[in-house]
Amino acid sequence: MSNLEWDSKTVIGFKAKAPKVTRNASDLNGARRTGAVVATDKKVTGGANKARQGPDHQRIAKLDRENEVAPPPKVNASVGKAIQTARMEKQLTQKDLAQKTNEKPSVIQDYESGKAVPNPQILSKFERILGVKLRGADIGKKLEGPKKS
């Protein structure tokens, strides 16, 4: 408690002066005459066209385009056709096949139209229920039963 200075005073509500930005030479010279601290900053892009930033901007944009991730591959059209023909042979609707595979009807629709990303688990469900090969070399071929040795 003995370290307190009794002579110091704190003014509440006193705002410190913010630095003033001047745009003309007469104000700048006046500040220099009074002895104020003067700092000058030159604009780097002053008067330049903002749309054309220079070759760096173009190079960065080109790099961005090159690094974009390719979309995942879609299911082949032959797989969709094989699902559809096998489903029609078994006289199943898309809704029936969806119920048997525990998938949504929109998933079956996406596979048949070739818009779906291939999922091995879903394809194996379709193979098991439809009895048709949907993966590998001979797509659309009927599956044989388990081999007996």
Side-chain angles (χ1 to χ4, degrees):
M1 288 292 264
S2 63
N3 293 4
L4 291 177
E5 294 183 28
W6 292 100
D7 294 336
S8 66
K9 59 183 175 180
T10 304
V11 179
I12 298 173
F14 179 75
K15 289 185 180 179
K17 289 202 173 203
K20 182 181 176 190
V21 177
T22 180
R23 301 216 189 294
N24 54 17
S26 63
D27 289 343
L28 184 64
N29 289 335
R32 284 183 179 147
R33 269 187 251 114
T34 59
V37 177
V38 176
T40 56
D41 293 330
K42 186 169 182 149
K43 278 186 159 181
V44 176
T45 60
N49 187 357
K50 301 245 188 300
R52 186 186 175 321
Q53 295 292 328
D56 288 342
H57 177 69
Q58 292 169 350
R59 190 167 51 239
I60 291 170
K62 185 177 178 184
L63 281 173
D64 283 345
R65 284 192 302 271
E66 288 174 0
N67 291 339
E68 287 194 16
V69 179
K74 303 289 185 212
V75 82
N76 199 348
S78 61
V79 174
K81 201 71 162 169
I83 292 172
Q84 190 173 15
T85 54
R87 180 176 59 80
M88 294 296 197
E89 285 177 8
K90 295 217 175 209
Q91 296 177 346
L92 295 172
T93 63
Q94 287 182 347
K95 188 175 180 181
D96 294 337
L97 182 59
Q99 285 177 340
K100 287 187 175 200
T101 56
N102 291 331
E103 299 292 337
K104 293 181 181 175
S106 62
V107 172
I108 283 90
Q109 187 177 5
D110 287 345
Y111 271 90
E112 286 184 1
S113 63
K115 295 178 185 173
V117 176
N119 185 342
Q121 292 175 328
I122 295 174
L123 286 172
S124 67
K125 287 181 191 178
F126 291 160
E127 284 178 340
R128 191 170 56 248
I129 290 169
L130 297 173
V132 175
K133 189 164 184 186
L134 299 173
R135 297 175 287 177
D138 35 332
I139 294 173
K141 187 179 174 188
K142 300 274 187 213
L143 287 175
E144 296 92 28
K147 294 181 181 175
K148 295 176 184 170
S149 50

